[in-house]
Amino acid sequence: MKKIVIGISGASGSIYGIDLLKKLKQYKDVETHLVMNKWAMENIKLETPYDPQNIIEMADFYYDNNNLGASISSGSFQVDAMVIAPASMKTVAGISIGFDADLIMRAAGVMIKENKQLILVPRETPLSAIHLENLTKLAKLGVHIIPPIPSFYDKPKTIQDIIDHQSMKILDSLGIQNNIETRWEN
């Protein structure tokens, strides 16, 4: 059983985390552990047709972002990977300096200290030098940075096509076989 933590922070683009969670639900050998912050829940209501409770019900386990004693806050709780989609620049900054202000940041810090896979889907533009320094610092530590940049070689026709491509890239990085989206062939 592969255990994956999904963090949804307060940046615009909560649909990326939601779509990933929905796609992971299709894999019987994947267990999902979800944590969302307050602003993620607000963005879900603003940007999607979902209610935060709908998203919580998609996960196998859910943790309150203020509960720094949750199992995912400890290195002794075995998980395989964590994805933060979207990752706000506040969350990225907190992770990059080891500031465990909430459970999302703490769980990400645990992934780094335990040498486990951490994937960030940063959602901000333009990126300032501070943002780039924080992301570079994390990339040098082995964190996978997968910004939601659409491809056009697959000729997307809908927003869902663009979201699917992003989920495919994340699943690929997690080592999960998938045929969600058209791949480059020449």
Side-chain angles (χ1 to χ4, degrees):
M1 177 73 60
K2 190 172 234 181
K3 295 181 183 180
I4 300 174
V5 177
I6 306 295
I8 302 178
S9 77
S12 180
S14 55
I15 195 65
Y16 292 112
I18 295 167
D19 191 71
L20 180 63
L21 192 59
K22 285 168 57 177
K23 286 178 171 49
L24 287 171
K25 194 76 174 157
Q26 299 171 20
Y27 295 87
K28 301 296 181 219
D29 60 342
V30 174
E31 181 180 279
T32 56
H33 296 257
L34 174 66
V35 59
M36 298 184 288
N37 68 19
K38 172 185 165 189
W39 293 109
M41 292 186 189
E42 291 301 317
N43 281 342
I44 287 167
K45 290 187 265 187
L46 290 170
E47 298 178 348
T48 77
Y50 299 102
D51 181 89
Q53 188 60 41
N54 301 133
I55 311 311
I56 291 168
E57 291 167 4
M58 289 180 199
D60 295 308
F61 297 93
Y62 174 73
Y63 307 92
D64 183 292
N65 193 44
N66 295 314
N67 182 5
L68 291 175
S71 57
I72 61 171
S73 72
S74 174
S76 67
F77 183 73
Q78 294 294 295
V79 296
D80 297 289
M82 179 176 186
V83 179
I84 304 174
S88 69
M89 289 302 111
K90 176 182 177 181
T91 299
V92 168
I95 296 165
S96 76
I97 62 168
F99 184 62
D100 298 342
D102 61 24
L103 185 56
I104 293 174
M105 290 181 217
R106 172 63 189 163
V110 167
M111 299 307 289
I112 292 168
K113 80 179 184 71
E114 297 293 329
N115 292 313
K116 300 285 178 95
Q117 186 176 25
L118 176 60
I119 298 170
L120 301 180
V121 179
R123 253 295 299 126
E124 185 64 75
T125 194
L127 292 166
S128 75
I130 294 168
H131 301 148
L132 292 167
E133 285 176 9
N134 288 336
L135 289 166
T136 300
K137 180 179 180 181
L138 291 168
K140 287 179 180 178
L141 294 172
V143 175
H144 293 197
I145 310 297
I146 307 177
I149 299 171
S151 69
F152 293 98
Y153 61 79
D154 54 351
K155 298 181 179 76
K157 293 178 180 42
T158 66
I159 291 172
Q160 187 60 51
D161 290 343
I162 293 168
I163 295 166
D164 284 343
H165 185 83
Q166 182 68 22
S167 291
M168 177 194 75
K169 298 298 278 184
I170 296 168
L171 291 171
D172 286 351
S173 188
L174 289 168
I176 296 174
Q177 295 293 319
N178 69 88
N179 293 312
I180 293 169
E181 184 57 33
T182 305
R183 295 180 184 277
W184 173 255
E185 290 183 21
N186 191 3

